[in-house]
């Protein structure tokens, strides 16, 4: 009996020691959620290895900057967008498609917070986030400053400037779209559960992690996150080439079709959907969306079958900004004569009194198949090649011991 009792005591002690070792190892692991919170200027979990780095003056300045920047963005736009969505989107579908999004989960969540699956597309590579505890001395401040620069235009104007992103997202220890997604998920109250590489083959089949996907695949990342109610949702950001030449050889749209019908958001899309070179993705959006929210850089009215859609214009349509000449739509202007007011800015004309937003709701299908372009006296536009947006003035280096703020006028 003594031997049995001693064995039980030994086993119990061993179990306690094993639990302690496992807990210690877990505490040594930097989770994706803690990394996201740290990059977003939010406190990581108490036992995170990142906690000592929050005492760095550069992180504290970064936290103050993002607290103020996101606080102003919430008041100026995001809260108003959610109120608009609650009032105007009666029964959103589970899937949300956001073509030409880049890493902009921020507005995907604001417009379609009730979606259960988010599919984003970006030209920029997913990139990576290094273990921030292993950055060289002084590297934390440089990494955080790079994140701030990457987000400067969307915090000010509601859109990313592609040329600027190509520079900012390839610099330093933090690169690609992933760190920006991290920040947006953390700042919208999400908890990241897992982050997994994903590749899509030509048939639209998804391969996760180290699964063999063969050749001719589209790369991306799947993030599983929990919202404030604890509901777990996937966000998949892929890197397809959305022009006709690229999309026809990839399985991205086949993958998306498996999640259709969904709701689509098109914002600050460089007016590429006005051209013949993006007909395939344009037709996919029309055929697989129950609702489409867009500014005037989205799908021209001439491509909608107006017997199949009902239009709800909001705001004010002026004309495209100077960087995109020759893209004025007379039919859009006529539609917006009956527009309802809108109290937030969106798109390239980001000031609230200049922005336009069109909600298109697909009517019940009559069984005749996919959407077709409506006949119109207005021929499909063939505009000149749009010029690239000029990036705003760069953010100056942060002063020692203090924060800085950069917002559009």
């Amino acid at each position: 009996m003594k031997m049995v009792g001693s064995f039980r005591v030994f086993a119990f002690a061993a179990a306690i020691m094993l639990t302690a070792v496992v807990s210690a190892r877990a505490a040594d692991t930097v989770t994706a959620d803690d990394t996201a919170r740290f990059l977003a200027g939010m406190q990581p979990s108490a036992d995170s290895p990142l906690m000592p780095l929050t005492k760095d003056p550069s992180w504290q300045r970064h936290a103050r900057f993002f607290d103020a920047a996101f606080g102003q963005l919430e008041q100026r736009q995001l809260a108003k967008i959610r109120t608009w969505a609650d009032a105007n989107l009666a029964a959103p579908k589970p899937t949300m498609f956001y073509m030409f999004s880049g890493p902009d989960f921020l507005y995907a969540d604001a417009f379609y917070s009730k979606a259960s699956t988010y599919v984003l597309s970006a030209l920029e590579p997913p990139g990576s986030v290094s273990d921030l505890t292993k950055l060289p001395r002084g590297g934390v401040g440089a990494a955080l400053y790079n994140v701030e620069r990457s987000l400067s235009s969307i915090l000010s104007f509601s859109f990313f400037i592609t040329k600027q992103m190509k520079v900012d997202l390839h610099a330093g220890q933090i690169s690609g779209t992933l760190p920006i997604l991290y920040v947006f998920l953390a700042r919208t109250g999400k908890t990241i559960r897992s982050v997994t590489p994903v590749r899509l083959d030509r048939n639209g089949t998804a391969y996760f992690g180290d699964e063999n996907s063969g050749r001719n695949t589209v790369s991306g990342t799947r993030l599983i996150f929990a919202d404030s109610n604890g509901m777990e949702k996937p966000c998949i950001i892929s890197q397809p080439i959305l022009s006709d030449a690229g999309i026809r050889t990839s399985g991205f749209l086949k993958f998306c079709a498996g999640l259709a019908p969904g709701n689509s958001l098109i914002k600050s899309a460089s007016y590429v959907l006005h051209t013949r070179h993006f007909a395939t993705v344009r037709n996919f959006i029309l055929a697989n969306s129950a609702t489409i929210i867009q500014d005037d850089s989205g799908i021209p009215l001439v491509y909608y079958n107006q017997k199949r859609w009902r239009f709800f214009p909001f705001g004010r349509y002026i004309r495209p900004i100077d960087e995109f000449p020759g893209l004025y739509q007379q039919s859009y202007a006529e539609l917006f004569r009956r527009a309802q007011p809108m109290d937030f800015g969106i798109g390239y004309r980001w000031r609230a009194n200049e922005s336009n937003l069109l909600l298109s709701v697909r009517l019940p299908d009559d069984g005749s198949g996919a959407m077709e372009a409506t006949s119109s006296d207005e021929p499909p536009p063939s505009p000149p090649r749009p010029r690239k947006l000029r990036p705003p003035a760069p953010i100056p280096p942060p002063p020692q011991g203090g924060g800085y703020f950069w917002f559009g006028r």
Side-chain angles (χ1 to χ4, degrees):
M1 292 293 293
K2 289 183 180 180
M3 289 185 63
V4 172
S6 299
F7 177 77
R8 287 177 177 173
V9 170
F10 175 78
F12 180 71
I16 292 177
M17 292 178 62
L18 179 61
T19 301
V21 170
V22 171
S23 299
R25 287 179 179 174
D28 289 339
T29 302
V30 180
T31 67
D33 189 66
D34 281 336
T35 300
R37 294 182 63 84
F38 183 85
L39 292 176
M42 303 167 68
Q43 289 280 341
S45 56
D47 61 348
S48 171
L50 292 171
M51 275 300 293
L53 296 183
T54 63
K55 301 183 186 302
D56 189 311
S58 63
W59 184 87
Q60 294 175 0
R61 178 205 56 77
H62 172 76
R64 291 192 300 269
F65 168 63
F66 268 3
D67 283 346
F70 279 95
Q72 292 190 31
L73 183 63
E74 173 69 19
Q75 181 179 10
R76 185 177 70 242
Q77 284 181 297
L78 299 181
K80 295 177 180 179
I81 290 174
R82 287 194 294 271
T83 299
W84 179 92
D86 287 342
N88 293 285
L89 301 177
K93 297 292 183 181
T95 303
M96 187 269 180
F97 298 120
Y98 190 179
M99 307 297 178
F100 312 100
S101 64
D104 180 19
F105 178 80
L106 199 62
Y107 285 89
D109 179 67
F111 278 107
Y112 288 111
S113 61
K114 297 177 183 177
S116 56
T117 299
Y118 296 83
V119 180
L120 281 59
S121 66
L123 284 175
E124 302 78 22
S128 61
V129 181
S130 302
D131 183 346
L132 301 179
T133 62
K134 298 180 180 179
L135 290 176
R137 184 177 181 84
V140 172
L144 296 176
Y145 177 63
N146 187 48
V147 172
E148 292 171 13
R149 278 185 54 87
S150 300
L151 296 179
S152 62
S153 65
I154 198 167
L155 292 177
S156 298
F157 307 132
S158 86
F159 58 87
F160 287 105
I161 296 178
T162 303
K163 184 177 181 180
Q164 184 172 314
M165 284 182 67
K166 288 181 179 178
V167 175
D168 294 336
L169 296 184
H170 288 81
Q173 300 284 338
I174 297 175
S175 63
T177 57
L178 199 55
I180 295 178
L181 272 171
Y182 276 16
V183 171
F184 287 163
L185 286 165
R187 281 287 172 176
T188 53
K190 311 300 188 288
T191 301
I192 299 175
R193 302 292 196 205
S194 65
V195 181
T196 311
V198 60
R199 298 190 72 85
L200 308 175
D201 69 15
R202 298 186 66 170
N203 297 317
T205 303
Y207 298 85
F208 300 100
D210 296 328
E211 291 184 69
N212 182 16
S213 56
R215 298 179 179 179
N216 300 319
T217 55
V218 177
S219 62
T221 304
R222 179 184 65 177
L223 300 94
I224 304 294
F225 66 87
D227 63 15
S228 58
N229 297 318
M231 180 178 178
E232 291 195 348
K233 305 179 180 182
C235 174
I236 297 172
I237 180 166
S238 190
Q239 193 188 2
I241 299 174
L242 292 177
S243 65
D244 288 351
I247 202 67
R248 287 172 181 164
T249 60
S250 80
F252 176 69
L253 293 185
K254 291 181 181 179
F255 170 79
C256 292
L259 298 170
N263 303 290
S264 288
L265 175 63
I266 310 170
K267 177 176 69 66
S268 308
S270 299
Y271 295 86
V272 296
L273 291 171
H274 288 228
T275 73
R276 61 184 176 83
H277 304 294
F278 289 80
T280 303
V281 68
R282 180 175 61 228
N283 291 338
F284 175 88
I285 295 170
L286 288 170
N288 293 277
S289 301
T291 62
I292 300 173
I293 297 173
Q294 66 171 55
D295 60 17
D296 64 293
S297 74
I299 300 173
L301 289 180
V302 68
Y303 292 112
Y304 283 88
N305 183 332
Q306 296 190 27
K307 295 180 180 179
R308 305 277 188 85
W309 294 88
R310 190 175 179 189
F311 302 116
F312 300 88
F314 294 84
R316 181 185 178 198
Y317 176 62
I318 304 175
R319 62 177 62 252
I321 59 176
D322 292 343
E323 282 78 5
F324 299 100
L327 295 169
Y328 180 78
Q329 299 178 70
Q330 184 60 41
S331 58
Y332 224 74
E334 292 173 0
L335 177 63
F336 271 78
R337 288 175 185 170
R338 59 177 178 85
Q340 300 178 55
M342 186 173 72
D343 62 352
F344 57 88
I346 203 76
Y348 293 131
R349 288 198 174 275
W350 46 269
R351 294 180 176 87
N353 64 341
E354 296 181 4
S355 293
N356 66 83
L357 197 67
L358 179 62
L359 169 61
S360 302
V361 179
R362 183 176 182 175
L363 300 175
D365 200 336
D366 60 4
S368 60
M371 296 292 175
E372 297 176 358
T374 182
S375 59
S376 172
D377 294 333
E378 178 183 349
S382 181
R385 185 181 181 88
R387 299 193 298 271
K388 291 183 178 180
L389 281 176
R390 294 186 297 271
I395 301 177
Q400 293 296 323
Y404 66 89
F405 303 89
W406 184 85
F407 296 99
R409 294 187 298 275

